[in-house]
Amino acid sequence: MVAGNWKMNGNSSLVTEFENAFNEITFDFDVLICPPSPYLNLFKSDSLATGGQDVSEFDSGAHTGDISTSMLKEFGCKYVIVGHSERREDHGESNALVALKAKAAINAGLIPLICVGEPLDVRESDTVEAFISAQLDALKDNLSVAEFEQSVIAYEPIWAIGTGKTATPEQAQEVHQFIRGYFASIDSELAQGLRILYGGSVKPDNAQTLFAQPDVDGGLIGGASLKVDDFVSICQAAN
Ligand code: 13P
């Protein structure tokens, strides 16, 4: 899977550029763009799926600014990102809230891309596994094996996001293997089938070596998903 997260970037012309490119080209794995929600309705191409960047844990009601799972579905989304580090940091989202959002998404028939990842001080203090475990524990407390089977995990080390400082393929593999091992202790079949994406400064020139790692099943792409040529090159690397 290759997923683009436009964050709060892009416009309708960029949607048209992506639509034109993906009308000409199809990949035999899942490719999706998560644009800002006002642009979701403009994506029509069959070879490019869409996802929200966040979703409410509630079905409806007095939650100004939030978007529900049914709204995302009505606008054609198959996926939704939950627990992105920017939501966790900018909007104070806790591990427990992220788990509720993932559950709401799954119950509505959306596939959540659940983000985990450590900040720089955790990486430097060599406590990455404990940090990721705490993020996963909150998910485990709320989601069943069947629900995890409808989920994708994205490992995004915060120090690599938007910094140009990509995790080395070995660093990515080490954490991905740890995450798969964590799920293997819940259910071995679940762990084998689980897609674990890497995110953090993935570019056309580093995508192939990252994706070649045995436990890296694709990428969640930020900056490079805003340039159609770069995004297509990253999809070709995945291919
Ligand atoms: P960059 O690819 O810009 O580092 O962003 C990664 C990311 O946060 C995707 O969700």
Side-chain angles (χ1 to χ4, degrees):
M1 168 183 281
V2 176
N5 174 11
W6 283 6
K7 310 190 179 187
M8 200 171 71
N9 297 297
N11 49 37
S12 50
S13 317
L14 190 63
V15 177
T16 306
E17 274 183 53
F18 272 75
E19 286 281 289
N20 290 341
F22 278 84
N23 280 333
E24 305 283 311
I25 183 169
T26 312
F27 293 98
D28 61 2
F29 51 87
D30 294 328
V31 180
L32 62 137
I33 293 288
C34 301
S37 49
Y39 302 125
L40 281 169
N41 203 28
L42 302 177
F43 282 87
K44 309 285 180 206
S45 166
D46 285 340
S47 51
L48 201 52
T50 52
Q53 294 181 7
D54 177 47
V55 73
S56 174
E57 71 276 30
F58 301 112
D59 289 339
S60 63
H63 306 289
T64 302
D66 291 347
I67 294 174
S68 72
T69 53
S70 59
M71 293 168 189
L72 290 178
K73 288 204 71 171
E74 191 179 352
F75 280 83
C77 289
K78 276 176 71 178
Y79 303 91
V80 63
I81 298 170
V82 298
H84 193 282
S85 58
E86 288 149 19
R87 299 288 316 171
R88 293 174 184 265
E89 284 181 358
D90 298 355
H91 299 268
E93 294 195 4
S94 65
N95 288 337
L97 177 60
V98 171
L100 290 179
K101 289 184 171 199
K103 200 174 182 74
I106 295 160
N107 288 342
L110 290 163
I111 297 174
L113 275 53
I114 309 172
C115 301
V116 297
E118 80 286 358
L120 186 60
D121 61 325
V122 168
R123 165 73 46 185
E124 285 175 342
S125 64
D126 229 4
T127 52
V128 175
E129 293 187 359
F131 188 90
I132 304 284
S133 283
Q135 291 185 319
L136 297 177
D137 285 347
L139 296 172
K140 192 170 74 171
D141 289 345
N142 284 278
L143 302 182
S144 65
V145 169
E147 288 172 329
F148 276 126
E149 281 169 352
Q150 303 304 317
S151 306
V152 172
I153 301 291
Y155 169 58
E156 297 207 310
I158 297 170
W159 48 271
I161 294 177
T163 58
K165 201 173 158 188
T166 321
T168 64
E170 295 73 25
Q171 283 173 322
Q173 168 58 22
E174 198 176 11
V175 181
H176 281 234
Q177 190 173 5
F178 170 75
I179 293 171
R180 202 177 303 283
Y182 180 98
F183 283 99
S185 70
I186 302 174
D187 186 284
S188 62
E189 246 177 72
L190 162 68
Q192 272 173 31
L194 186 69
R195 287 183 288 184
I196 308 173
L197 311 183
Y198 169 78
S201 297
V202 178
K203 305 288 175 205
D205 61 356
N206 61 24
Q208 199 165 347
T209 46
L210 285 162
F211 297 161
Q213 300 304 306
D215 288 300
V216 177
D217 305 309
L220 180 53
I221 320 301
S225 73
L226 295 167
K227 295 179 193 139
V228 71
D229 292 348
D230 284 0
F231 190 70
V232 168
S233 296
I234 290 170
C235 292
Q236 281 161 343
N239 203 33

